[in-house]
Amino acid sequence: MGLPKIVVMGAGFGGLMTVRGLQKQLNHQEAEITLINLNPYHYVTTQLHEPAAGTLDPNHTRVAIDSLISRDKVRFIQDKVTGFDPKEKVVRLAGTEENLSYDYLICALGANTETFGAKGVLENALLINNLNSARMIREHIEYNFARYQASGEKNEELLTIVVGGAGFTSVEFVGELVDRLPYLCAEFDIPREKVKIITIEAAPTVMPGFDKELVDYAVNYLSGKGVDFRINTPIEAVTEDGVILKGGEEVKAANVVWNCGVRGNSLLEETGLETMRGRVKVDEFLRAPGYEDLFIIGDNSLVFNDEERPYPPTAQMAMQQGQHLAKNMVAVLRGGDMTPYVYAPKGTVASLGRKIGIGTVGKNNKKVFGRKASLLKKIIDARWFFILGGISLAFKKAKL
Amino acid sequence: MGLPKIVVMGAGFGGLMTVRGLQKQLNHQEAEITLINLNPYHYVTTQLHEPAAGTLDPNHTRVAIDSLISRDKVRFIQDKVTGFDPKEKVVRLAGTEENLSYDYLICALGANTETFGAKGVLENALLINNLNSARMIREHIEYNFARYQASGEKNEELLTIVVGGAGFTSVEFVGELVDRLPYLCAEFDIPREKVKIITIEAAPTVMPGFDKELVDYAVNYLSGKGVDFRINTPIEAVTEDGVILKGGEEVKAANVVWNCGVRGNSLLEETGLETMRGRVKVDEFLRAPGYEDLFIIGDNSLVFNDEERPYPPTAQMAMQQGQHLAKNMVAVLRGGDMTPYVYAPKGTVASLGRKIGIGTVGKNNKKVFGRKASLLKKIIDARWFFILGGISLAFKKAKL
């Protein structure tokens, strides 16, 4: 009989924490571990708004998977997962006809874009989803700035940037953009006042769910930098020319970034699992309902707080889940008991460009503002690189 | 009675040399000098292939006109010349209803793109004409590399770069491109072999008019770097999808740079002057036929050699003409005699990327290759900045 086969889909925060926990805790003869990922690198999703705005080299946000796994303990397959079957216990891959069988499957595939029924989003909008799409945003904006300057028409729609959604990542993205604009304008000889940034949010507030005082701080700061916020304004469609708002108003813009939220990966629905906005309500051991061998972590897992409200999907939770799951897997393999996963929120910090930020930290949600919050954010970023590659990687990637 | 009014149109090599010669040699009460230019800066046309390929910061190739003229002797108007009337002795500007009258007009407006009757060139092709269009080429290529990587289709036409024309500037542009490609490919995670550079030339040789041994050197070097040359191949049309060759073959490419040659500025034809491919055959004093007060220098002047063949338009000739014309203008204003202009070719050097080049120097057209030629080219570039701003500007702009 062969070793138990553990297959981990996705090398994001959750998947990597699981794999690295397993390779650290397991001996060679305890399991056969396979990690599947689309790219040969891991990227730091929570930093993508920076290369998207052009304030950070995209290479900063990624680390080669080769350097993160022990090749003698973990097999790495670079491929696209096209589906999986929890009854047959197989994973389907784009690059091979042969299905990959498993004894335990860990789904850490990450989220899909939530369109909220708006038309044309996936066809016409730019997305801060992955390294390629983030890089695309930077190039798209630069290209349009070049086009504005090179054509005689001076079409100002080329200089209009609409950001759909004013949630956490949108505010961080806009914060980077206002940092970058002076340089971008200087490079392309464009007067700063010609550039418009319009952030459009369906909810009655910017950063829904965030502390009002912090939100006010962010809005004041960004408004002062020329960002226009429109709340209570759902977007009905993204077109080739801009966005159509509820009620019919059109905002013309050659640069539309859609960032209204995420839903679970469509592969989960296709598998027949019961989902809410694509996410699966997992049990205390992070298992999909009805399965003892299918674990779902990260953006695809739905975890509820004491008030029966779902926690938003965050890197923080994905990391905790991955770490916890690795321990539980080890216990299972060794005939022990799993322990329940309980989310332990440590706080949330958003950057507003390179120098300031806002956030809450600790159990009492202590508020932090300005430079202190910015520093905290950089420490949080550095911490992840420290976990992945120790002090040398943290130092290499530090932005302090 | 007012002072004689000298109007110089264009702040390229020729126009700047004239204005700077005049401001140096004339006293305050001898003439009223006006310089008109579209941009507030001068750019070095002969360097544009570098920012176009993305190997040089576009700012390197420009100098603020403010820093180049004596404001107490020269009035600078930043505007677009829309026409001039040598009978009425006025210049028309885009930004004002009022015409500018002159006693002496110096036309140093620079060239237009020569399409040779190919369709769709101005609509669909990228041009290495000015700073904005050069910057546009870099952004266009980067944008398409980003699009290739961000879309699932992996459309290789996005990675195909067609260069129309294999003359001097095309070869220099392609030389920079092959230098840049490894970095560009690394940045966008694109395998180098997926990128195609196809240089298409109607004439039976690359770099028509250049020494065969030097041409062979360039073609060997660039072919070795993966550049495909197609000679004897006229382009009939540039479309949104690529180019159509004579005979009907289509080469699909999302990046088409048209660089087949230049013709004189269309304003000269519109003025009713007799032109050959838009250029005016000037007399020995660089005057348009029939006019004592209209001087034409640079790319719009047609100067013949002893064998009655026209010299190609070059920066070298424009500089010489501007310098010579300034002296003649001073002579005229002071009641002296003009001296005839005779072109004194000093050689021609083309770069093939940052490190090597080819060229001929001196009266005997001594051939130079490789690193020596590259160094020579850098000295030629630095010399122009030295002329403009002395040792400090030359040092600031040096690329050694």
Side-chain angles (χ1 to χ4, degrees):
Chain A
M1 239 187 78
L3 296 173
K5 291 176 187 158
I6 303 173
V7 172
V8 179
M9 303 189 291
F13 288 102
L16 269 187
M17 283 304 270
T18 311
V19 166
R20 284 168 59 91
L22 291 175
Q23 73 184 14
K24 193 174 173 190
Q25 295 165 63
L26 289 178
N27 299 317
H28 282 94
Q29 294 308 317
E30 289 187 277
E32 192 183 297
I33 307 166
T34 304
L35 172 64
I36 309 166
N37 197 53
L38 184 59
N39 302 303
Y41 53 83
H42 159 77
Y43 57 81
V44 183
T45 321
T46 53
Q47 287 190 334
L48 287 178
H49 57 283
E50 298 178 50
T55 49
L56 185 71
D57 181 344
N59 287 322
H60 185 101
T61 67
R62 68 172 161 189
V63 185
I65 288 173
D66 248 353
S67 70
L68 300 174
I69 55 171
S70 307
R71 281 283 190 160
D72 57 340
K73 287 188 176 173
V74 179
R75 178 167 67 131
F76 174 58
I77 298 177
Q78 189 196 332
D79 207 338
K80 184 184 170 70
V81 174
T82 55
F84 61 96
D85 185 332
K87 296 204 173 63
E88 299 287 329
K89 301 180 70 162
V90 290
V91 173
R92 291 188 295 277
L93 298 171
T96 168
E97 292 284 302
E98 221 164 303
N99 292 340
L100 191 71
S101 65
Y102 65 79
D103 295 303
Y104 300 98
L105 181 62
I106 291 148
C107 174
L109 284 168
N112 282 170
T113 297
E114 175 64 271
T115 66
F116 294 105
K119 286 176 191 143
V121 171
L122 300 178
E123 297 77 11
N124 299 313
L126 300 158
L127 306 168
I128 313 183
N129 278 4
N130 54 51
L131 208 59
N132 290 327
S133 73
R135 210 153 42 183
M136 182 73 191
I137 293 173
R138 181 195 69 193
E139 292 301 331
H140 189 94
I141 292 172
E142 289 183 2
Y143 183 58
N144 281 332
F145 275 50
R147 282 171 70 196
Y148 173 84
Q149 197 54 281
S151 94
E153 294 161 33
K154 299 284 179 270
N155 173 6
E156 293 190 13
E157 289 162 28
L158 293 171
L159 306 180
T160 303
I161 302 165
V162 163
V163 181
F168 194 91
T169 307
S170 286
V171 164
E172 289 200 305
F173 172 63
V174 168
E176 295 295 322
L177 258 190
V178 299
D179 267 10
R180 173 109 197 274
L181 271 185
Y183 302 97
L184 203 57
C185 287
E187 184 178 355
F188 290 98
D189 299 323
I190 289 168
R192 171 64 185 84
E193 64 273 15
K194 298 254 180 222
V195 181
K196 288 195 188 72
I197 303 176
I198 306 167
T199 306
I200 301 174
E201 169 63 50
T205 174
V206 169
M207 299 182 93
F210 227 60
D211 176 89
K212 187 177 177 309
E213 194 186 359
L214 296 174
V215 172
D216 287 349
Y217 184 97
V219 170
N220 281 338
Y221 170 74
L222 294 172
S223 300
K225 295 273 184 181
V227 177
D228 190 7
F229 285 98
R230 297 214 198 167
I231 54 171
N232 285 317
T233 310
I235 294 173
E236 295 223 317
V238 182
T239 66
E240 287 184 5
D241 303 321
V243 293
I244 312 286
L245 307 180
K246 193 176 174 183
E249 188 194 339
E250 184 178 16
V251 178
K252 293 208 171 197
N255 313 280
V256 177
V257 178
W258 182 269
N259 200 26
C260 293
V262 294
R263 56 182 289 116
N265 199 295
S266 58
L267 293 185
L268 296 175
E269 284 169 314
E270 289 166 21
T271 302
L273 293 168
E274 195 186 327
T275 58
M276 286 172 64
R277 283 178 52 191
R279 300 164 75 194
V280 174
K281 185 178 175 179
V282 290
D283 69 13
E284 58 188 343
F285 306 121
L286 302 168
R287 294 178 303 197
Y291 292 95
E292 305 240 307
D293 46 16
L294 173 58
F295 298 84
I296 298 175
I297 58 174
D299 291 352
N300 291 310
S301 71
L302 203 53
V303 177
F304 288 80
N305 66 12
D306 295 340
E307 293 151 13
E308 283 304 306
R309 293 188 57 175
Y311 286 114
T314 59
Q316 192 179 163
M317 192 194 283
M319 285 165 66
Q320 288 182 13
Q321 289 177 330
Q323 195 170 24
H324 192 89
L325 177 55
K327 280 183 199 156
N328 276 349
M329 283 300 311
V330 172
V332 167
L333 291 174
R334 291 177 181 166
D337 288 330
M338 296 198 284
T339 57
Y341 169 71
V342 182
Y343 178 48
K346 304 252 193 284
T348 314
V349 185
S351 63
L352 302 169
R354 185 85 347 154
K355 288 185 184 160
I356 70 167
I358 50 171
T360 55
V361 285
K363 281 186 187 165
N364 306 319
N365 287 321
K366 189 177 180 303
K367 293 176 202 174
V368 284
F369 298 88
R371 289 186 168 266
K372 195 171 169 186
S374 173
L375 183 65
L376 210 56
K377 177 80 181 183
K378 285 168 188 165
I379 292 170
I380 294 167
D381 283 350
R383 180 175 171 268
W384 175 237
F385 288 118
F386 179 78
I387 292 170
L388 290 182
I391 192 75
S392 72
L393 189 66
F395 190 75
K396 192 174 146 197
K397 302 278 191 184
K399 298 177 296 177
L400 307 177
Chain B
M1 240 184 74
L3 296 173
K5 291 175 189 158
I6 303 173
V7 172
V8 180
M9 303 188 292
F13 288 101
L16 268 188
M17 283 304 270
T18 311
V19 166
R20 285 169 59 91
L22 291 175
Q23 74 184 13
K24 192 174 172 188
Q25 295 165 62
L26 290 178
N27 298 317
H28 281 94
Q29 295 309 317
E30 289 188 275
E32 192 184 297
I33 307 166
T34 304
L35 172 64
I36 309 166
N37 198 54
L38 183 60
N39 301 305
Y41 54 82
H42 159 77
Y43 57 80
V44 183
T45 321
T46 53
Q47 286 191 333
L48 287 179
H49 58 281
E50 297 179 51
T55 49
L56 186 70
D57 181 343
N59 287 323
H60 185 101
T61 68
R62 68 172 161 188
V63 185
I65 288 173
D66 247 355
S67 71
L68 300 174
I69 56 171
S70 308
R71 281 282 191 162
D72 56 340
K73 287 188 176 174
V74 179
R75 178 166 68 129
F76 174 58
I77 297 177
Q78 188 195 333
D79 207 339
K80 185 185 169 71
V81 175
T82 54
F84 61 96
D85 185 333
K87 296 204 171 63
E88 298 287 329
K89 301 178 71 162
V90 290
V91 174
R92 290 188 295 277
L93 298 171
T96 168
E97 292 285 302
E98 221 164 304
N99 291 340
L100 191 71
S101 65
Y102 66 79
D103 295 303
Y104 300 97
L105 182 63
I106 291 149
C107 174
L109 284 168
N112 282 170
T113 296
E114 175 64 273
T115 66
F116 294 105
K119 287 177 190 140
V121 172
L122 301 178
E123 297 77 11
N124 300 314
L126 300 158
L127 306 169
I128 314 183
N129 279 4
N130 54 50
L131 208 59
N132 290 327
S133 73
R135 212 154 39 184
M136 182 72 191
I137 293 172
R138 180 195 69 194
E139 292 301 330
H140 189 94
I141 292 172
E142 289 182 2
Y143 183 59
N144 281 333
F145 275 51
R147 282 170 69 196
Y148 172 85
Q149 197 54 280
S151 95
E153 294 161 32
K154 299 283 179 270
N155 172 6
E156 293 190 12
E157 290 161 28
L158 292 170
L159 305 181
T160 303
I161 302 165
V162 163
V163 181
F168 196 90
T169 307
S170 286
V171 165
E172 288 200 305
F173 171 64
V174 169
E176 295 295 322
L177 259 190
V178 298
D179 267 10
R180 174 108 197 275
L181 271 186
Y183 302 97
L184 202 58
C185 288
E187 184 178 355
F188 292 98
D189 298 322
I190 290 168
R192 170 65 184 87
E193 64 272 16
K194 298 253 180 224
V195 181
K196 288 196 188 71
I197 303 176
I198 307 165
T199 307
I200 301 173
E201 169 63 49
T205 174
V206 169
M207 299 182 91
F210 227 61
D211 176 89
K212 187 177 178 311
E213 194 186 359
L214 296 174
V215 171
D216 287 348
Y217 183 97
V219 169
N220 281 339
Y221 170 74
L222 294 172
S223 300
K225 295 274 182 179
V227 177
D228 190 7
F229 285 98
R230 295 214 198 167
I231 54 170
N232 285 316
T233 310
I235 294 173
E236 295 222 317
V238 182
T239 67
E240 288 184 5
D241 303 321
V243 294
I244 312 286
L245 306 180
K246 193 175 173 183
E249 188 195 337
E250 184 179 16
V251 179
K252 294 210 170 194
N255 313 279
V256 178
V257 178
W258 181 269
N259 200 27
C260 293
V262 293
R263 53 181 291 117
N265 199 296
S266 58
L267 293 185
L268 296 175
E269 284 170 314
E270 289 166 22
T271 302
L273 293 167
E274 196 185 326
T275 59
M276 285 172 65
R277 283 177 54 190
R279 299 165 76 193
V280 174
K281 185 178 174 176
V282 291
D283 69 12
E284 57 188 345
F285 304 121
L286 302 168
R287 294 178 302 198
Y291 293 95
E292 305 240 309
D293 46 18
L294 173 57
F295 298 84
I296 297 174
I297 60 174
D299 290 352
N300 290 311
S301 71
L302 204 51
V303 176
F304 288 81
N305 65 12
D306 294 341
E307 293 151 13
E308 283 303 308
R309 293 188 58 175
Y311 285 114
T314 59
Q316 192 179 161
M317 192 195 280
M319 286 165 65
Q320 287 182 14
Q321 289 176 329
Q323 195 171 23
H324 192 89
L325 177 55
K327 281 183 198 156
N328 276 349
M329 283 300 312
V330 172
V332 168
L333 291 175
R334 293 176 181 167
D337 287 329
M338 296 199 284
T339 57
Y341 169 71
V342 182
Y343 177 48
K346 304 253 193 283
T348 313
V349 185
S351 64
L352 302 168
R354 184 87 347 156
K355 287 184 184 161
I356 69 167
I358 50 171
T360 56
V361 286
K363 281 186 187 165
N364 306 319
N365 287 322
K366 189 177 180 304
K367 293 175 203 174
V368 284
F369 298 87
R371 288 185 167 269
K372 195 172 169 184
S374 172
L375 184 65
L376 210 57
K377 177 80 180 183
K378 284 168 188 166
I379 291 170
I380 294 166
D381 283 350
R383 180 175 170 267
W384 175 237
F385 288 118
F386 179 78
I387 292 171
L388 290 183
I391 192 75
S392 72
L393 188 67
F395 190 76
K396 192 173 145 196
K397 301 280 191 182
K399 298 176 297 176
L400 307 177

